[in-house]
Amino acid sequence: MDVVSNIVEKSLRDAEKSITVHKHLDLQYDLGTLLAVDTNSLDLKSLRDNRNEYLLNLSRDNVQLLLNKIWELPTQQIDETLVVKLPPAKFVLPRARPVPKPKPLTKWEQFAKLKGIKKTKKAKLSWDEQLNKWVPLYGYKRAAAERERDWVLEVPATADPMEDQFLRKKTGRVEKVAKNELQRLRNIAKARNIKIPRVGVTHPDVSSSKDLQTSITVARSATASLGKFQDKLPKEKEARGVNELVPGSNRKRKLPAVSNEQERDHNLQIIDSVLSKRPKINIEKAMARQIHSKPVEQSEENSRSKPNTHGKRKNLKQKGKKPASNNNKVQKKGKKGGGRKRR
Amino acid sequence: MSVQRVVKPTTRKGKRVLEGREAEVIEGPKQALIFHGRRGSDTIRSLLKDIYSLKKPDAKLLSRKNDITVFENYAPLEDLCRKHETPLFVMGSHSKKRPDNLVIGRMYNYSLLDMVELGIDAFESLHDFVGSKIVIGTKPCLIFNGPVWEENDNFRHLKSIFIDLFNREHVDGIRLQGLEHTLSFTATPDGKVLLRSYKVLLKKSGCRTPRIELDEMGPRIDFSFRRSKLSSEDLMKEACKKHKVLKVTKKKNVSRDGLGSLHGRIHVGKQNIQSIQTRKMKGLKKTTDERKSEKLRKRPFIIEANSESVNNKRIRVE
């Protein structure tokens, strides 16, 4: 007796310790998100009677199954702890923000990429031979050093001797900053696909050949005959996209005269399209009314034979062409014939 | 300066904040905003606190009331979520018509993606359970029981929302001893959702895999499904898009064998060994005889064509 009870006790203990769980349907696992979905139907009776205990056991079994899978994954020893490597998550969750798009390149970046120009880092300090000291790349110390170095400025041979070279230098710098800002804005506008208003004729130092072409085209049209009799250079091209600036460019050309026959055909076509109009029928509404008015009949037909009902349906689909009976006279929405859409 | 500037961050910190708001390729854990509606009951208040403590480092709990009824007008909700930069929200409210009401939803690009409304039938707080709790930030095991999760469209969305809410950021590796929390969601056929939270105890089993025991930690919530506003399929598809970088593209001609070593098949174009330049050495230089014979070999065609005349020529030369 003692032996038997021992064995029974041991088997019970083993069952308590066991890590195997039996399920009718296998769970769906996503080890990356530590997720297990059990689609087995629930035991409703025990769910009603002792809900919490039942849920505890159910969850325990499912967690056991999930962790059995996780314990099978390859592990790694990091700082005296076992770390298991998880696979990527399978369950697809929506993002919080849209996928980032690559930033559009600025005009300079595009050019540099084309030419293979790489950015080189400039040193923060550079040795100034004149002042005999280290001068920073930018900042107030740089400005002070420049002021100290350029206490006198040479007047270039081509320049007006009475011009203030200090003022010229200052305005040149301001203009450079303004140009840079303009280019920055232009890049932003281009990246966001915004149309920016025309700047007009800019300083010749800043403007391109395209701008020059535009101003020539516009200026030429400023005569009484809208530039019709103005001379052109041999291979000169008109600037494009300046219609709004050139008067008369938007005026439509007169259409060539149409032959009698063509005109007649055209007019007949219009008359045909008007006369071929048929009343529009809301197909869904018509179908609903049809079904609603004959529910008994249809159900009888259904019970009689299946293929017969199929035939009926087919007839319904071919509406218009061959009405199966007078009741089924329903017209198709996208009817044939060249009628214009009724509004 | 004459040109008006486009808004640019003035400080370094401001710049960093603006950069942080930009969309990322791999997103971190979604932040949740937890707040009350117009009125809240005691149940709702402690429930929101419990959800906050489950979600903790990735959540914000607001203490004031908000005059928001999400199913009537969700514009103020979107503003609130935009302000707090949270793509998830949990709103608790209490009214005569819908007592103990909880709305859980999520945002995509600061606009509402989907949300579900749950009524609370029974609730026991985290504090009602004795026993030890888990460490903040533990990644839970998520268990979904019942066939309803797969059958019903509402429940499928609810499942996705629950996973989104409680699943923390994706990790490559996890400490085996760190698997200590389980959230179990059971959907019954009559439209109820039973949420149970357990602490996982790893017991010895005699083999490598431990025997699992669970200890209920709380909270214990019985939900009933109320209203829902699901996303359109197009929007969901758009929201689930992956970045090009993360998409796995198959590499051609590369394989791995059973031992894990990499095999590749490469195609090498035909090499022209005849005309290749090798090292020049005096010993390898062609002698005059060799050069002559090569020259002859190069014109066999002509020789065959009029062999007689060539022979004659040779004779003449000799």
Side-chain angles (χ1 to χ4, degrees):
Chain A
M1 280 301 283
D2 213 32
V3 177
V4 171
S5 66
N6 266 349
I7 289 169
V8 168
E9 213 170 86
K10 203 187 171 196
S11 67
L12 275 176
R13 239 185 291 141
D14 281 352
E16 247 174 41
K17 272 185 179 179
S18 80
I19 59 163
T20 51
V21 180
H22 296 289
K23 290 270 176 184
H24 284 300
L25 295 170
D26 277 346
L27 308 195
Q28 299 161 18
Y29 302 100
D30 181 5
L31 302 184
T33 38
L34 301 180
L35 168 75
V37 181
D38 180 8
T39 47
N40 289 296
S41 52
L42 304 169
D43 182 4
L44 292 180
K45 191 172 175 293
S46 43
L47 187 67
R48 198 169 51 237
D49 294 344
N50 43 1
R51 171 178 284 187
N52 291 324
E53 201 177 316
Y54 170 70
L55 288 180
L56 179 72
N57 286 329
L58 182 69
S59 304
R60 194 218 76 80
D61 287 354
N62 290 336
V63 173
Q64 179 78 61
L65 283 169
L66 178 66
L67 292 196
N68 284 356
K69 288 265 175 192
I70 286 172
W71 248 263
E72 280 168 17
L73 294 171
T75 52
Q76 210 179 353
Q77 187 104 23
I78 298 173
D79 301 338
E80 295 174 11
T81 51
L82 268 182
V83 173
V84 69
K85 208 178 159 230
L86 291 177
K90 275 187 289 180
F91 194 87
V92 181
L93 288 170
R95 292 173 56 89
R97 302 287 312 278
V99 176
K101 282 176 189 147
K103 258 189 186 171
L105 298 176
T106 62
K107 210 166 180 185
W108 163 250
E109 278 169 344
Q110 249 170 6
F111 180 75
K113 202 179 165 190
L114 189 73
K115 297 282 176 188
I117 300 167
K118 293 241 168 68
K119 212 175 184 179
T120 47
K121 214 167 188 186
K122 283 177 197 161
K124 278 205 167 174
L125 288 175
S126 58
W127 181 253
D128 197 319
E129 292 285 346
Q130 274 184 4
L131 298 175
N132 265 345
K133 67 175 178 187
W134 290 99
V135 175
L137 189 63
Y138 52 83
Y140 75 100
K141 280 188 177 171
R142 165 73 174 213
E146 260 178 21
R147 232 177 286 133
E148 196 182 335
R149 193 181 52 196
D150 299 338
W151 61 274
V152 60
L153 283 175
E154 194 181 334
V155 179
T158 51
D160 174 19
M162 298 313 289
E163 195 187 8
D164 183 359
Q165 291 302 316
F166 289 99
L167 189 70
R168 195 182 149 194
K169 200 181 168 193
K170 202 175 173 184
T171 50
R173 175 164 287 187
V174 168
E175 226 156 75
K176 252 189 195 171
V177 171
K179 184 194 163 193
N180 196 22
E181 185 66 17
L182 191 76
Q183 280 173 340
R184 192 176 74 86
L185 292 175
R186 206 189 280 154
N187 280 326
I188 289 170
K190 204 178 162 195
R192 293 188 192 163
N193 210 3
I194 302 166
K195 270 200 171 172
I196 42 172
R198 249 169 238 286
V199 190
V201 183
T202 45
H203 197 262
D205 289 351
V206 188
S207 51
S208 63
S209 64
K210 212 175 168 187
D211 294 337
L212 189 68
Q213 194 59 56
T214 308
S215 49
I216 289 171
T217 311
V218 173
R220 190 183 288 129
S221 69
T223 61
S225 47
L226 304 179
K228 201 177 176 184
F229 305 108
Q230 295 299 303
D231 290 337
K232 269 185 188 176
L233 289 172
K235 278 184 183 175
E236 198 183 318
K237 278 180 191 170
E238 292 265 302
R240 302 179 77 184
V242 285
N243 279 355
E244 51 186 321
L245 300 178
V246 181
S249 64
N250 277 344
R251 195 175 296 162
K252 267 186 190 170
R253 229 178 274 158
K254 244 188 196 173
L255 288 170
V258 188
S259 71
N260 253 355
E261 220 167 277
Q262 266 183 326
E263 197 175 348
R264 193 169 147 269
D265 280 352
H266 184 69
N267 287 344
L268 277 178
Q269 221 174 3
I270 291 171
I271 290 168
D272 268 354
S273 72
V274 171
L275 291 181
S276 67
K277 256 177 208 164
R278 266 166 286 167
K280 195 183 162 194
I281 288 178
N282 189 345
I283 186 85
E284 276 174 27
K285 222 175 185 178
M287 285 290 279
R289 195 176 291 168
Q290 174 77 17
I291 291 162
H292 204 68
S293 62
K294 301 274 175 186
V296 185
E297 197 183 281
Q298 271 213 342
S299 65
E300 273 173 4
E301 271 171 20
N302 277 340
S303 61
R304 241 181 269 150
S305 62
K306 262 197 171 172
N308 202 0
T309 53
H310 259 281
K312 190 107 190 167
R313 258 191 213 161
K314 255 187 192 168
N315 282 337
L316 275 178
K317 271 181 191 171
Q318 289 174 350
K319 349 137 206 170
K321 275 186 189 168
K322 253 191 213 168
S325 67
N326 285 338
N327 293 337
N328 289 342
K329 207 170 188 177
V330 187
Q331 233 166 14
K332 208 175 184 180
K333 214 177 189 178
K335 64 199 173 217
K336 280 176 186 173
R340 204 164 48 120
K341 201 178 178 185
R342 271 177 72 134
R343 303 234 167 96
Chain B
M1 204 189 308
S2 60
V3 188
Q4 200 188 355
R5 281 179 171 271
V6 166
V7 184
K8 228 175 166 186
T10 39
T11 58
R12 287 217 163 219
K13 193 179 176 186
K15 195 181 169 190
R16 250 177 280 135
V17 168
L18 285 183
E19 270 171 7
R21 275 186 203 162
E22 274 169 18
E24 292 162 326
V25 177
I26 300 169
E27 288 173 338
K30 279 189 182 176
Q31 304 285 320
L33 189 71
I34 303 170
F35 63 97
H36 303 267
R38 279 181 189 152
R39 210 151 66 91
S41 60
D42 278 345
T43 319
I44 280 295
R45 238 165 272 138
S46 57
L47 175 74
L48 290 183
K49 267 181 201 163
D50 280 5
I51 290 177
Y52 175 62
S53 57
L54 284 183
K55 176 82 182 154
K56 212 164 205 180
D58 310 319
K60 270 182 189 170
L61 179 66
L62 306 187
S63 56
R64 289 197 190 179
K65 290 173 186 170
N66 296 280
D67 188 6
I68 296 173
T69 45
V70 270
F71 278 88
E72 277 72 56
N73 179 19
Y74 53 77
L77 171 82
E78 287 178 349
D79 292 345
L80 201 66
C81 283
R82 181 192 288 271
K83 185 180 160 196
H84 291 278
E85 287 277 318
T86 52
L88 288 167
F89 72 89
V90 179
M91 191 186 103
S93 63
H94 181 74
S95 67
K96 195 173 171 186
K97 195 173 180 183
R98 293 192 182 81
D100 296 331
N101 205 32
L102 195 75
V103 183
I104 311 177
R106 50 192 170 178
M107 303 274 163
Y108 170 65
N109 201 14
Y110 304 122
S111 56
L112 186 73
L113 184 67
D114 52 359
M115 59 182 173
V116 287
E117 192 177 47
L118 302 166
I120 290 144
D121 299 338
F123 170 64
E124 274 173 72
S125 160
L126 202 63
H127 303 292
D128 297 341
F129 292 87
V130 283
S132 59
K133 309 289 188 240
I134 49 153
V135 188
I136 280 179
T138 311
K139 194 174 165 80
C141 298
L142 302 170
I143 306 289
F144 286 84
N145 304 317
V148 187
W149 289 117
E150 297 296 310
E151 289 161 1
N152 193 329
D153 211 23
N154 277 331
F155 276 77
R156 220 175 292 133
H157 269 262
L158 181 60
K159 184 175 108 182
S160 174
I161 289 173
F162 273 139
I163 292 172
D164 222 349
L165 183 64
F166 290 110
N167 167 45
R168 293 179 185 278
E169 69 191 304
H170 179 71
V171 285
D172 293 331
I174 194 163
R175 201 166 55 93
L176 284 178
Q177 302 300 316
L179 295 162
E180 55 170 3
H181 185 210
T182 292
L183 283 170
S184 149
F185 303 90
T186 311
T188 60
D190 54 342
K192 307 241 159 158
V193 179
L194 314 174
L195 166 64
R196 299 288 182 272
S197 165
Y198 303 104
K199 192 174 158 66
V200 179
L201 309 170
L202 307 174
K203 296 279 161 89
K204 273 174 191 163
S205 68
C207 55
R208 193 172 162 269
T209 314
R211 156 96 184 168
I212 306 297
E213 292 294 338
L214 298 181
D215 183 20
E216 188 152 7
M217 184 187 84
R220 177 193 286 173
I221 315 166
D222 292 3
F223 293 114
S224 57
F225 203 93
R226 280 179 185 162
R227 291 178 288 176
S228 67
K229 187 178 184 308
L230 307 184
S231 61
S232 67
E233 244 169 61
D234 292 347
L235 186 63
M236 190 51 117
K237 202 176 167 190
E238 173 72 31
C240 289
K241 258 186 191 170
K242 257 186 172 179
H243 195 270
K244 224 189 271 170
V245 179
L246 299 176
K247 274 180 195 159
V248 185
T249 49
K250 205 185 166 252
K251 273 183 191 165
K252 258 174 109 181
N253 301 339
V254 175
S255 60
R256 249 173 218 287
D257 65 3
L259 297 170
S261 49
L262 196 68
H263 291 277
R265 204 177 71 216
I266 53 172
H267 174 77
V268 181
K270 206 174 181 182
Q271 285 182 3
N272 196 356
I273 312 166
Q274 300 302 320
S275 67
I276 207 165
Q277 177 69 56
T278 49
R279 204 169 158 195
K280 282 177 184 164
M281 278 195 304
K282 211 169 189 181
L284 291 175
K285 240 184 180 176
K286 284 168 190 162
T287 56
T288 44
D289 290 350
E290 271 176 341
R291 225 178 288 156
K292 258 185 192 171
S293 64
E294 201 173 285
K295 235 181 194 177
L296 278 177
R297 233 190 305 126
K298 269 187 185 170
R299 321 182 287 181
F301 195 62
I302 307 162
I303 293 165
E304 263 174 44
N306 37 11
S307 52
E308 272 189 40
S309 63
V310 170
N311 280 342
N312 288 342
K313 266 183 193 171
R314 266 191 186 167
I315 290 159
R316 268 178 217 161
V317 169
E318 279 165 8

